[in-house]
Amino acid sequence: MKAALLTLALLLVGPVSVVRAQMAIPALEARVTDLTGTLTAGQQSALEEKLAAFERRKGAQIAVLILPTTAPEDIAQFGVRLMESWKLGRKGIDDGAALIVAKDDRALRIEVQYGLEGVLTDATSSRIINETIVPLFKQGDFAGGINAGVDQMLRVVDGEPLPEPDPSWKRDEGGRVPGGLVPMILMVIVAVGGFVRRTVGRGLAGAITGAITAAVVFAFTTSWIFATVAGGIVAVVVLAMGAGALQVLNGMGGSSRGGWSSGGSGGSWSGRSSGSFGGGSSGGIFTGGGGRGGGGGASGRW
């Protein structure tokens, strides 16, 4: 009899456990959602207005969520679900991002929609978390850390570079060269290769130009794999084509300039109105515009 009752109890409790496996996503009714009472009313209002003003001017949607925990999920899994539900960003542009703080977990994350993936990269998000937010959180200054982190996010989306990183911080591999610079860099390198070839001969010119290319690519990407491949390609070009390659690349740069420029500063967002959103900067309910989740992001702990 006891065994039968225990089995029945497990059958009843089991479905409840499944239902509670994931935390419910809070409703998106404001740009700043604090479920922990961490921010005062004044702090929350000031941050809300800052984000609303940025949205009116730039169009991109940035939101903040402070909650006790994302358990049993880790914050990255929760962040993906959050963005799928909130749909931050304008429809078809997907220029949204969220700063998520799980206070009891001592974890935080910047989750990015596809439209901001090229500017608010994983590496940049990691820097904002570890260099700006976490030091203030460790001092117990949660309002200061959230405000400083949001300010950095807004700067990046606005097209401004972050300050130089701390020397102890290591960038992720796969850093990006602004697209419009790629053909220019290649043309300059090959032009140098053509001059060196006339001076020291074809073989040595290929080696020197390849080494220069590898050094430049490594400076941008910190990846020896990318640097070695790029250096090898340029060395072969110099060996096979010499100065004639400059004319070829010049033609390529002129014909594809529009394509290269798409990965860069976020200028394609300027001049667009944020009027397509359901919510306004004050009053009413703030809503997302239909952005797609899964663009990337970074997590951290304090």
Side-chain angles (χ1 to χ4, degrees):
M1 185 65 178
K2 291 182 177 179
L5 291 175
L6 179 59
T7 301
L8 179 60
L10 290 175
L11 290 174
L12 292 174
V13 173
V16 175
S17 299
V18 172
V19 171
R20 297 182 62 187
Q22 292 182 329
M23 173 173 289
I25 299 296
L28 177 63
E29 297 180 347
R31 295 169 181 83
V32 182
T33 304
D34 182 5
L35 305 179
T36 63
T38 298
L39 303 177
T40 66
Q43 291 168 339
Q44 187 165 339
S45 177
L47 185 55
E48 177 81 21
E49 179 52 38
K50 179 193 299 184
L51 294 173
F54 182 80
E55 182 182 333
R56 289 193 298 268
R57 180 175 61 81
K58 190 73 174 181
Q61 286 186 318
I62 310 294
V64 176
L65 171 62
I66 313 168
L67 73 170
T69 179
T70 63
E73 295 176 291
D74 65 34
I75 197 168
Q77 294 171 321
F78 177 83
V80 171
R81 286 202 302 119
L82 180 77
M83 296 303 261
E84 289 174 349
S85 174
W86 281 11
K87 301 185 184 303
L88 295 175
R90 291 169 288 181
K91 187 174 183 179
I93 302 177
D94 308 320
D95 49 349
L99 172 60
I100 308 166
V101 178
K103 198 170 179 183
D104 293 347
D105 300 337
R106 303 180 68 88
L108 68 157
R109 180 168 178 83
I110 294 175
E111 192 73 36
V112 182
Q113 302 281 51
Y114 282 110
L116 294 183
E117 185 181 12
V119 287
L120 196 56
T121 64
D122 296 358
T124 299
S125 298
S126 180
R127 281 192 56 196
I128 293 172
I129 289 171
N130 293 308
E131 296 179 8
T132 300
I133 304 177
V134 167
L136 289 169
F137 277 16
K138 286 182 176 179
Q139 299 172 17
D141 186 1
F142 292 99
I146 290 168
N147 264 290
V150 166
D151 286 344
Q152 293 287 54
M153 292 171 69
L154 299 185
R155 285 186 56 191
V156 171
V157 176
D158 227 2
E160 297 182 36
L162 288 176
E164 287 299 314
D166 186 277
S168 63
W169 182 84
K170 296 182 180 179
R171 291 175 291 176
D172 289 350
E173 289 194 0
R176 304 184 179 193
V177 182
L181 294 179
V182 172
M184 184 182 302
I185 291 173
L186 290 177
M187 286 187 290
V188 169
I189 290 174
V190 174
V192 172
F195 172 78
V196 175
R197 175 174 173 165
R198 290 193 298 270
T199 305
V200 301
R202 185 172 63 178
L204 187 56
I208 293 174
T209 310
I212 294 174
T213 302
V216 171
V217 172
F218 181 78
F220 279 103
T221 67
T222 70
S223 171
W224 283 115
I225 296 176
F226 293 152
T228 301
V229 171
I233 291 173
V234 170
V236 170
V237 169
V238 172
L239 287 171
M241 302 173 64
L246 179 60
Q247 298 177 353
V248 176
L249 288 175
N250 189 39
M252 290 171 57
S255 64
S256 63
R257 186 168 302 166
W260 287 107
S261 64
S262 63
S265 65
S268 60
W269 299 317
S270 61
R272 294 180 181 265
S273 171
S274 61
S276 59
F277 293 124
S281 61
S282 61
I285 296 177
F286 170 70
T287 61
R292 296 174 299 158
S299 303
R301 301 186 64 84
W302 72 91

